[in-house]
Amino acid sequence: MTDPTAHHVGVTVADLDRAVDFYTETFDLDVVAEFSVGGDAFAEAVAVEGASAEFAHLDAGDAVVELVAYEPAGEGSADPELNRPGATHLGLSVDDVEAFYEDLANDVETLSPPRTTSSGTTICFVSDPEGNLIEVLDA
């Protein structure tokens, strides 16, 4: 067996264009690839009958954020709660969480203003337009 390395973090969205706009405008991530995938092998691999998908890969430094919109689309998940088993979030670091928070567009939803935890890390959580949670923390 080979040693695994991280390749990407996938975020499923209903509206790919809106998601790309959010991540490029809010986090200044660059789109590095856009592509479509379909066919029997893909549908079998993702266990969704007749599936196809549109993808956008965004450069987040040492990681790729993969935004994907499926056809057919599945049902949306319940409101995310971080303490729910199976909950997920994307973590992105910035140089200054307080400055990042102050510069957020008015329509970007947050869970709270930045807070410094007992470990000394300053964090805040924002929601993308689909309700996916992103933890923003000091670099």
Side-chain angles (χ1 to χ4, degrees):
M1 180 171 153
T2 61
D3 293 331
T5 59
H7 183 269
H8 67 271
V9 175
V11 180
T12 300
V13 299
D15 185 330
L16 187 61
D17 291 334
R18 179 176 68 173
V20 168
D21 288 346
F22 173 82
Y23 284 89
T24 58
E25 292 169 12
T26 304
F27 295 100
D28 201 27
L29 301 181
D30 293 324
V31 176
V32 294
E34 295 179 286
F35 55 95
S36 301
V37 178
D40 291 340
F42 177 72
E44 290 172 12
V46 298
V48 175
E49 187 174 338
S52 63
E54 299 290 325
F55 293 83
H57 281 186
L58 308 177
D59 182 1
D62 291 335
V64 170
V65 175
E66 178 181 86
L67 303 175
V68 57
Y70 283 89
E71 184 61 43
E75 293 294 318
S77 298
D79 288 334
E81 294 179 15
L82 288 168
N83 63 340
R84 178 180 47 85
T88 60
H89 69 275
L90 172 64
L92 295 173
S93 61
V94 297
D95 290 333
D96 184 338
V97 175
E98 298 279 350
F100 171 85
Y101 179 81
E102 292 300 322
D103 289 342
L104 282 174
N106 291 335
D107 61 344
V108 175
E109 292 185 33
T110 63
L111 297 186
S112 76
R115 296 290 183 242
T116 301
T117 68
S118 61
S119 69
T121 303
T122 301
I123 64 171
C124 74
F125 279 83
V126 302
S127 294
D128 75 7
E130 308 276 345
N132 296 303
L133 293 175
I134 303 112
E135 178 183 6
V136 181
L137 62 153
D138 285 327

